[in-house]
Amino acid sequence: MKKCLASRYIKKTDLQPEENERILQDLFAFNSMKRTSFLWQRQDRKFFRDDGKELSHQLKLKEVFECKDYFANSARMAAAAMIKSGQELAKLYIEDAKEDIKAIRKALRKKKNYRKKLLKIKESIIKHTKDPKKPLKGSANIQYQKDGSVTVQFFQKIWVYETLYLFEHQWLDRKLRQIKTQIAKMEHKLKRLEIRQQRLKDHPL
């Protein structure tokens, strides 16, 4: 039959000042042991007795801090739990970065393809300006009207430019600059995510 041991809730105000002081000292010592054990485990430190036999971290903590086995073992286990949780958290961060990188690359390809289409439209406008016989390239959103005006439509919004010149300089050039800036920002963000992902792989903690 298993036993259930209930703990008793004690307020600091119900204790004597010297008792509170001893509790604070114990907490400080325990946290110091935990940080020390964390560092030893991260560095994979090994300790040896005078006779050459290996000394466990728990016994080394007990020797350094002059405490009981319970506190030394608790500090060692708490440090090990911190390392394990940090490693698992790093795995989640790596997966998040992987998904973000995948999404940015997909969006980046779309932006670059759209920019190429707009550059071809601009090139066709330049050629048409030099030789009106050469055709103009458009798209599903950009339509050239018979009266010389240009219509740009995105969803429910429609922009009408009276001449080809106005369309080129008021909408097309501005759109190309905007997309170029967006691509540069996305590439910068992608680079930072790749560096962060590699850093997490190399140094999980």
Side-chain angles (χ1 to χ4, degrees):
M1 181 178 177
K2 293 184 179 180
K3 292 183 180 181
C4 179
L5 301 176
S7 60
R8 188 174 59 163
Y9 180 73
I10 300 175
K11 293 183 179 180
K12 291 177 66 176
T13 53
D14 296 336
L15 299 175
Q16 296 297 324
E18 58 272 13
E19 292 175 333
N20 282 323
E21 185 65 26
R22 286 199 299 271
I23 290 173
L24 288 175
Q25 290 175 359
D26 288 342
L27 288 173
F28 179 79
F30 180 79
N31 287 326
S32 298
M33 282 191 290
K34 185 172 65 176
R35 288 193 296 269
T36 303
S37 180
F38 179 88
L39 183 63
W40 288 351
Q41 292 182 55
R42 288 285 296 123
Q43 295 176 344
D44 198 19
R45 295 274 295 274
K46 294 185 182 298
F47 303 99
F48 298 91
R49 301 176 189 270
D50 295 336
D51 57 2
K53 292 183 179 180
E54 189 174 347
L55 186 67
S56 66
H57 281 190
Q58 179 182 339
L59 293 177
K60 186 63 178 178
L61 284 172
K62 182 181 177 182
E63 178 186 318
V64 172
F65 290 93
E66 298 178 352
C67 62
K68 294 183 178 179
D69 287 328
Y70 175 80
F71 285 100
N73 190 44
S74 297
R76 182 190 62 79
M77 292 177 66
M82 288 171 60
I83 292 172
K84 181 66 176 177
S85 62
Q87 290 171 344
E88 293 299 321
L89 191 61
K91 291 179 183 178
L92 293 177
Y93 287 154
I94 290 171
E95 286 298 319
D96 288 343
K98 185 179 178 181
E99 292 297 323
D100 291 342
I101 288 171
K102 184 179 178 181
I104 290 174
R105 282 177 177 168
K106 183 178 179 181
L108 195 57
R109 283 196 299 270
K110 289 183 178 179
K111 285 286 182 184
K112 287 182 176 180
N113 289 335
Y114 183 48
R115 185 170 181 268
K116 285 180 182 179
K117 290 179 181 179
L118 293 182
L119 286 172
K120 287 180 180 179
I121 290 174
K122 183 173 177 63
E123 186 180 354
S124 71
I125 291 174
I126 294 172
K127 289 180 179 179
H128 180 77
T129 304
K130 294 178 179 179
D131 185 2
K133 294 181 180 180
K134 291 186 177 180
L136 290 168
K137 288 186 178 181
S139 67
N141 308 105
I142 301 170
Q143 300 293 330
Y144 302 102
Q145 307 301 326
K146 292 181 179 179
D147 59 356
S149 63
V150 183
T151 303
V152 181
Q153 181 177 357
F154 286 95
F155 301 103
Q156 301 300 321
K157 291 186 177 181
I158 300 175
W159 293 270
V160 179
Y161 298 91
E162 294 180 357
T163 63
L164 198 61
Y165 177 86
L166 292 176
F167 162 72
E168 180 185 0
H169 294 282
Q170 291 184 3
W171 187 88
L172 186 59
D173 288 344
R174 187 173 62 179
K175 194 69 174 178
L176 284 168
R177 288 193 300 269
Q178 180 184 4
I179 293 174
K180 185 179 179 181
T181 303
Q182 290 173 351
I183 289 173
K185 288 180 178 179
M186 291 170 73
E187 287 177 340
H188 177 67
K189 187 176 181 180
L190 181 64
K191 186 67 176 177
R192 285 192 296 109
L193 282 171
E194 288 173 346
I195 292 172
R196 183 168 182 263
Q197 185 186 38
Q198 190 60 44
R199 189 187 300 122
L200 286 169
K201 288 179 179 179
D202 296 338
H203 308 285
L205 287 178

